[in-house]
């Protein structure tokens, strides 16, 4: 009599299980399973959901994201900061989130040596003399209003014109040209959303991003510079031609990659921080 041995069921089961596992893709943060697909259109291989994609677009498109202007995108950035930061890293960019000022923005990543060996999407820029004076005033005014318990800081358009005019050299006689420069500076800050428009075209709200543009130590440097700009009858200040910046973090041009801020040029004192929130101003 021949006694047949029973098959090794446990071994077969183990083999089948191993085979099944090998055939099933493992879901990871960058590779969701089919059940977790985030595809929004035919051929979509993206690994971000719709809200995360909108937040990433907002970071790339605008100078900064804030809860006042983009509440949904701001919430998503806080919830997915590491993931969105990694996506920006793939473009040689860094995500900066300032929770106290409630702004999030991108900036160009630099090497440990301080140079930029990476391809660049953004470049540093300096503010003009008039823009720099306005930034100092706006930063100081915002600090004062918030310290007094105000929820927002509103400035009059003519107030800004008058403040910059107080630094006009006494020998400067072409006031129409000087006022035109200030008007252009105000418009650039409105475009950059450092100043926010209100229902009254002659009144503007100061955006909290100015705190990030001008941290306290930088503000002190500029305040000291402004003291040297105060005109006197005995020693009139030489008139300075304004720079013509293309806007914080605009598309980089060839040769810009290794540009360093010139700390000796007062018009360039805001250059380093100017590159933080920025691109097209929309």
């Amino acid at each position: 009599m021949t006694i047949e041995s029973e098959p090794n069921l446990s071994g077969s089961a183990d083999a089948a299980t191993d085979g099944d596992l090998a055939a099933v893709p493992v879901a990871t943060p960058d590779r969701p399973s089919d059940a977790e697909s985030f595809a929004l259109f035919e051929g979509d291989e993206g690994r971000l959901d719709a809200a995360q994609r909108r937040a990433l677009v907002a970071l790339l498109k605008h100078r900064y994201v804030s809860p006042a202007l983009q509440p949904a995108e701001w919430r998503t950035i806080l919830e997915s900061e590491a993931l969105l930061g990694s996506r920006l890293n793939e473009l040689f960019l860094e995500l900066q989130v300032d929770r106290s000022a409630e702004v999030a923005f991108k900036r160009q990543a630099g090497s440990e040596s301080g140079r930029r060996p990476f391809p660049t999407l953004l470049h540093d820029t300096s503010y003009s003399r008039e823009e720099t004076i306005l930034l100092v005033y706006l930063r100081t005014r915002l600090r004062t209003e918030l310290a007094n318990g105000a929820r927002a800081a509103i400035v009059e358009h003519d107030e800004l014109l008058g403040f910059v005019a107080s630094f006009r050299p006494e020998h400067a006689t072409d006031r129409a040209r000087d006022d035109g420069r200030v008007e252009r500076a105000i418009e650039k800050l409105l475009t950059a959303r450092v100043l926010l428009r209100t229902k009254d075209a002659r009144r503007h709200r100061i955006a909290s991003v100015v705190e990030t543009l001008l941290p306290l130590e930088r503000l002190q440097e500029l305040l000291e510079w402004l003291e040297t700009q105060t005109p006197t009858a005995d020693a009139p200040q030489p008139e300075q031609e304004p720079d013509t910046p293309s806007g914080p973090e605009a598309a980089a041009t060839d040769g810009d990659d290794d540009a360093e801020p010139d700390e000796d040029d007062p018009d360039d004192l805001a250059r380093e921080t100017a590159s933080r929130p920025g691109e097209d101003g929309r």
Side-chain angles (χ1 to χ4, degrees):
M1 177 183 296
T2 303
I3 300 177
E4 296 181 358
S5 61
E6 294 187 5
N8 186 349
L9 296 178
S10 60
S12 299
D14 289 343
T17 300
D18 291 342
D20 291 343
L21 287 175
V24 176
V26 178
T28 67
D30 286 333
R31 184 185 294 275
S33 66
D34 290 341
E36 298 172 322
S37 174
F38 297 134
L40 301 177
F41 50 86
E42 186 176 355
D44 182 6
E45 296 292 336
R47 293 296 181 258
L48 300 179
D49 63 30
Q52 291 166 339
R53 296 184 193 196
R54 290 190 179 96
L56 183 59
V57 168
L59 285 166
L60 291 169
K61 183 178 181 181
H62 301 299
R63 285 183 168 84
Y64 66 91
V65 174
S66 72
L69 298 174
Q70 302 110 328
E73 287 79 1
W74 171 256
R75 288 193 299 270
T76 301
I77 289 170
L78 295 185
E79 295 167 357
S80 307
E81 182 176 349
L83 183 57
L84 294 173
S86 71
R87 292 299 184 269
L88 290 176
N89 293 162
E90 292 171 355
L91 300 175
F92 303 106
L93 301 174
E94 294 177 328
L95 173 61
Q96 300 292 309
V97 180
D98 187 334
R99 285 173 168 77
S100 60
E102 294 191 317
V103 293
F105 53 90
K106 62 193 175 296
R107 71 177 179 185
Q108 191 70 49
S111 68
E112 293 181 358
S113 65
R115 310 297 289 176
R116 291 183 179 175
F118 311 126
T120 57
L121 291 173
L122 316 171
H123 72 81
D124 292 339
T125 187
S126 62
Y127 286 113
S128 71
R129 177 179 183 274
E130 288 76 17
E131 290 171 277
T132 302
I133 294 173
L134 287 171
L135 282 171
V136 172
Y137 180 74
L138 296 175
R139 178 69 167 89
T140 306
R141 177 68 180 275
L142 180 63
R143 287 185 65 197
T144 300
E145 294 294 332
L146 295 181
N148 291 335
R151 298 183 61 184
I154 304 295
V155 291
E156 301 286 342
H157 193 90
D158 291 340
E159 176 185 345
L160 300 177
L161 290 171
F163 182 77
V164 179
S166 68
F167 294 92
R168 181 183 292 128
E170 291 186 4
H171 71 276
T173 57
D174 192 344
R175 297 200 172 187
R177 184 191 64 175
D178 292 341
D179 288 345
R181 286 177 173 176
V182 181
E183 290 285 1
R184 289 191 295 273
I186 293 173
E187 187 59 34
K188 284 184 179 180
L189 294 182
L190 284 166
T191 300
R193 297 189 304 172
V194 174
L195 282 172
L196 303 176
R197 303 180 193 275
T198 67
K199 294 181 180 179
D200 186 341
R202 303 296 292 182
R203 304 182 79 221
H204 316 298
R205 182 161 64 90
I206 305 173
S208 61
V209 72
V210 73
E211 295 183 275
T212 303
L213 284 171
L214 290 183
L216 291 178
E217 59 273 15
R218 177 67 55 157
L219 177 62
Q220 185 58 43
E221 291 178 22
L222 290 173
L223 286 171
E224 293 173 1
W225 168 68
L226 279 182
E227 291 180 0
T228 70
Q229 299 297 297
T230 304
T232 63
D234 296 332
Q237 296 295 319
E239 200 170 352
Q240 293 177 290
E241 292 299 321
D243 295 336
T244 310
S246 57
E249 294 201 352
T253 56
D254 292 342
D256 289 335
D257 295 358
D258 294 329
E260 296 293 337
D262 182 0
E263 298 296 342
D264 295 326
D265 185 347
D267 281 357
D268 286 347
L269 285 175
R271 181 194 298 267
E272 183 180 346
T273 49
S275 66
R276 300 294 190 266
E279 199 210 10
D280 60 8
R282 287 175 285 173

